[in-house]
Amino acid sequence: MAKINANYEAVYILQPDLSEEQISALVAKFKAVVEANGTVSEIDEWGKRRLAYPINDLMEGYYVLMTFTAAAAIPAELDRIFRITDGVMRSMIVCKDQ
C-alpha cells in the first residue's frame, strides 16, 4: 500500500510563564516528532497573546503555528504528545487537504 502524505497545520498554546529556553525546547521537540516521518514547512511563533477566555486561571498564552506534511499516523502521535507534555495549554491539528 502506498504511503499517502497530507498537509497539516498545528496550533498550540504554551503556558506564558515558560522561559525562552523552555519554549524553544518544546518547539524543537514537536518539530522533531514531525520530522521523524514527515517534513515541516514552516514554524511561526506568534508570541504571547491574550486568550479569549481563561484557561487554568491564565489570561495569556504563547501561540505557535506549525505547518507540515506527513502521513496520517503522525498527527495522531503529535496530538498524543501535546496532551501529555507539561506546558501545553491547548492544541489543535487540522488537515488542510480536506
Side-chain angles (χ1 to χ4, degrees):
M1 179 175 235
K3 185 176 180 181
I4 299 174
N5 289 338
N7 295 314
Y8 295 94
E9 280 186 346
V11 176
Y12 51 96
I13 306 171
L14 302 175
Q15 292 179 350
D17 56 351
L18 297 175
S19 69
E20 290 182 25
E21 294 83 20
Q22 291 172 316
I23 290 172
S24 61
L26 287 175
V27 170
K29 173 184 175 179
F30 301 139
K31 181 180 177 183
V33 168
V34 172
E35 286 182 336
N37 292 312
T39 57
V40 175
S41 306
E42 180 181 4
I43 296 179
D44 189 12
E45 295 187 32
W46 296 346
K48 285 187 183 179
R49 306 267 180 177
R50 184 165 175 81
L51 300 173
Y53 56 90
I55 300 173
N56 299 333
D57 295 327
L58 297 172
M59 288 303 298
E60 280 188 330
Y62 190 91
Y63 283 73
V64 180
L65 170 69
M66 180 169 57
T67 306
F68 61 96
T69 304
I74 299 303
E77 175 66 12
L78 185 61
D79 188 45
R80 184 187 73 79
I81 292 172
F82 281 148
R83 283 187 272 123
I84 63 172
T85 302
D86 291 336
V88 177
M89 295 168 55
R90 291 285 190 275
S91 65
M92 181 188 309
I93 302 173
V94 177
C95 182
K96 294 180 4 179
D97 292 341
Q98 295 178 352

